[in-house]
Amino acid sequence: MRLTIIGSSGSFPGPASPASCYLVEAGGFRLLLDLGNGALGALQKYTDIYGIDAVYLSHLHADHCFDLCSYWVARTYPQGGPKPRIPVYGPPGVADRMAEAYGLDPDPGMRETFDFVELAPGEVNIGPITATVDRVNHPVDAFGIRLEHEGSTLAYSGDTATCDELTRLALDTDLFLCEASFHDHHDNPHGVHLTGAEAGTHADRAGARRLVLTHLVPWNDDAITLREARSAYTGPVELARPGAVYRIGVEAEALDAVGS
C-alpha cells in the first residue's frame, strides 16, 4: 500500500494544511480516508480526483467529511456528464447527514452520485483492501479502521480518546496513523481526543512498527506533541505533513517526495 497525507489539521484547516484527508493506494485502487474541509482542493495536487474509487468517512464532524459536499458537485456536474457512482463508507445516517450539509432533499440527496454504505464493527472489503472497523471513543458515532493488502497493514484512528478498540485495530501494524490533538497536563475534555503521550502509549501497546501523528490542531505546538509521543513510544514517530508519502510493507518506509 501507499499512503499520501493530503491534510492533517485537526478541528479546522490550518495555515499550511487542510483538515483530515489521506489517500491510500493499493493494487491500482484509490481510497480516501476522510475528506475534511479544505481537502478537495489540495487533493488535486496529488491525483486525478475522478480516479478515486471509494471514500471512507470516520465520523461526521465537519473537519472529516464536509468536502464530500464539494466532491458531490465535482462528480455530479462535470463537463461531459456525471461520473460513475462510487461507494462512500460512513457511520449510520451518513447519507442524510451529507444531504443536510449541502441543503439537499434527503431523497435522493447525494445517492445518485454516491453509493452510501453504513459502517458497523467488523470486516468489509473495500476494493482489493480488507478493512476492519470498530467504534472508538468520541462524542459522536466514530470508527477507527485497519487496512490490509498483500501482507501490508495500516491503521487509522479517526478521532478518539483512549480505548481498547484502537489498540486492537493497530495491533502489529506497519504504520499507525493516529490522532494527537491534545497536550498532556492540560485540563482536556474527557472522552474526545488523545494527547501525544496517549497516542504513543496505544502504538506501544499495539506493537505498531511506525507511528505518524495527525489531527494536529492549529493552536498547539507540534514539537511538544512529538516529544510527548516519543516519551511513550520508542519506535519511529513523526508528524503527518501534507505531501508526505509512505510505502507500507513489512516496514513502513517514508518517501522523500510525492511520485517517488
Side-chain angles (χ1 to χ4, degrees):
M1 287 188 289
R2 181 182 171 105
L3 168 69
T4 303
I5 308 297
I6 308 301
S8 58
S9 185
S11 299
F12 56 90
S17 176
S20 293
C21 185
Y22 316 91
L23 173 64
V24 177
E25 298 170 89
F29 189 88
R30 295 175 180 174
L31 168 66
L32 287 182
L33 301 178
D34 284 336
L35 194 50
N37 40 339
L40 186 63
L43 181 65
Q44 295 170 71
K45 294 191 292 186
Y46 306 106
T47 192
D48 173 9
I49 62 170
Y50 298 120
I52 299 301
D53 297 293
V55 179
Y56 162 88
L57 302 177
S58 63
H59 65 293
L60 300 178
H61 280 156
D63 58 322
H64 292 260
C65 72
F66 263 26
D67 263 26
L68 190 74
C69 294
S70 300
Y71 196 39
W72 173 77
V73 173
R75 294 194 71 95
T76 304
Y77 299 110
Q79 189 173 18
K83 297 297 181 180
R85 195 164 174 249
I86 63 170
V88 172
Y89 299 82
V94 57
D96 288 351
R97 175 75 172 103
M98 298 316 303
E100 179 186 17
Y102 200 73
L104 299 173
D105 189 309
D107 185 15
M110 298 182 181
R111 290 179 175 88
E112 294 176 346
T113 298
F114 299 127
D115 177 18
F116 288 98
V117 181
E118 294 190 349
L119 295 169
E123 190 173 291
V124 59
N125 292 323
I126 303 177
I129 300 169
T130 300
T132 303
V133 299
D134 207 349
R135 285 186 170 87
V136 290
N137 184 12
H138 201 53
V140 300
D141 212 4
F143 289 82
I145 189 168
R146 177 189 181 94
L147 304 177
E148 301 181 51
H149 179 260
E150 295 184 350
S152 62
T153 53
L154 162 68
Y156 169 50
S157 65
D159 280 8
T160 183
T162 57
C163 62
D164 292 339
E165 292 83 357
L166 182 60
T167 302
R168 288 195 293 269
L169 288 170
L171 191 65
D172 200 32
T173 48
D174 297 314
L175 189 148
F176 183 22
L177 181 62
C178 186
E179 75 119 281
S181 308
F182 289 158
H183 283 163
D184 293 330
H185 312 301
H186 286 186
D187 186 19
N188 298 313
H190 179 72
V192 182
H193 291 297
L194 297 172
T195 67
E198 288 169 341
T201 297
H202 280 76
D204 181 69
R205 289 174 179 169
R209 285 182 281 279
R210 190 183 196 100
L211 174 61
V212 178
L213 304 171
T214 194
H215 206 266
L216 305 169
V217 297
W219 57 78
N220 271 355
D221 184 334
D222 292 346
I224 293 175
T225 302
L226 186 61
R227 186 168 64 246
E228 290 178 352
R230 285 175 171 161
S231 73
Y233 175 72
T234 58
V237 55
E238 60 208 79
L239 303 169
R241 293 302 188 203
V245 181
Y246 300 87
R247 183 184 295 118
I248 302 170
V250 176
E251 295 290 341
E253 176 188 2
L255 305 181
D256 290 335
V258 174
S260 298

